[in-house]
Amino acid sequence: RQSLDALAAVQRERDALLLQVAALQAERDRLTSTVDRLTSDLAAEQSRPAPARPERPARRERAPRAARPVAIPTPTAPTAPTVPAVAPRRGTASFPGFDMERLANPDVVRRRLDEAEYPYWASEGNLAGDVLVLLETDASGRVIRTAVATPIGGGLDGLAESLVRDMQFVPPVVSGQRTGLRSQVLVRFER
């Protein structure tokens, strides 16, 4: 019986690793296509001829003038550059179908969902969708490892992982002992 349990545990771990590998391969493919596109854009930009510069009119000779007193400005402390105020770009994040009763800190997670700012690139690209986050907890219920199985980019994958890492699960009890768990959480982003 113990060997069957051990075999099942090894198979679950293998399945989790396969999901992580698939997620990493998808992210690699996405990044490779982005690099290829940027490389071709750069090559096209470099192959364009430089615009012709207009010629300057010839300088006229002036008669020398009498020396005038020159005011020397007094040095002033440099000022910090002003940054235009930009309203935070907002979208909504939610955990559809997730039971918040599984958490030891549901209020913290709800507050994080309310305060989450939509990433700049996701807002610019008008991205929305679902991100499946795989997770593993320790015996205390703290999330120790996450991976994105279905990346959508634009900073939403990182935000989804960050939201899941803030979760504190109520640890399951097996044979009277607290134990870690492996699970998944679907994070939905809407504009």
Side-chain angles (χ1 to χ4, degrees):
R1 176 69 183 155
Q2 289 179 342
S3 63
L4 287 176
D5 290 342
L7 180 61
V10 167
Q11 287 176 337
R12 283 192 304 273
E13 185 156 344
R14 186 200 68 198
D15 292 343
L17 289 173
L18 287 174
L19 282 173
Q20 290 176 352
V21 166
L24 290 172
Q25 287 173 341
E27 183 68 11
R28 182 200 62 206
D29 293 344
R30 186 185 66 76
L31 290 173
T32 300
S33 68
T34 301
V35 167
D36 291 344
R37 182 180 48 80
L38 291 174
T39 303
S40 67
D41 290 350
L42 180 61
E45 184 69 28
Q46 289 175 343
S47 67
R48 289 189 194 138
R53 297 174 107 186
E55 287 191 29
R56 289 185 176 178
R59 293 182 93 181
R60 291 185 305 170
E61 290 294 323
R62 294 186 190 182
R65 289 195 267 177
R68 300 188 283 177
V70 177
I72 299 174
T74 57
T76 59
T79 60
T82 58
V83 178
V86 177
R89 301 171 191 280
R90 285 211 169 274
T92 60
S94 63
F95 302 127
F98 182 77
D99 181 14
M100 290 292 215
E101 297 298 316
R102 295 176 56 194
L103 299 178
N105 64 343
D107 294 335
V108 171
V109 174
R110 283 188 188 101
R111 186 174 60 246
R112 270 286 277 135
L113 278 172
D114 291 340
E115 295 172 354
E117 286 189 23
Y118 226 66
Y120 174 79
W121 291 112
S123 181
E124 288 296 310
N126 207 20
L127 291 178
D130 294 343
V131 177
L132 182 63
V133 180
L134 309 174
L135 66 100
E136 183 177 351
T137 68
D138 60 11
S140 69
R142 185 176 54 91
V143 176
I144 57 172
R145 192 172 303 139
T146 60
V148 174
T150 56
I152 60 175
L156 293 176
D157 306 324
L159 178 57
E161 281 190 279
S162 174
L163 290 169
V164 170
R165 275 191 225 107
D166 287 340
M167 293 178 167
Q168 175 80 29
F169 284 82
V170 174
V173 177
V174 177
S175 301
Q177 299 245 337
R178 290 181 172 191
T179 183
L181 66 93
R182 288 189 180 146
S183 188
Q184 60 191 20
V185 175
L186 184 70
V187 183
R188 177 163 293 153
F189 294 101
E190 296 174 308
R191 297 275 304 142

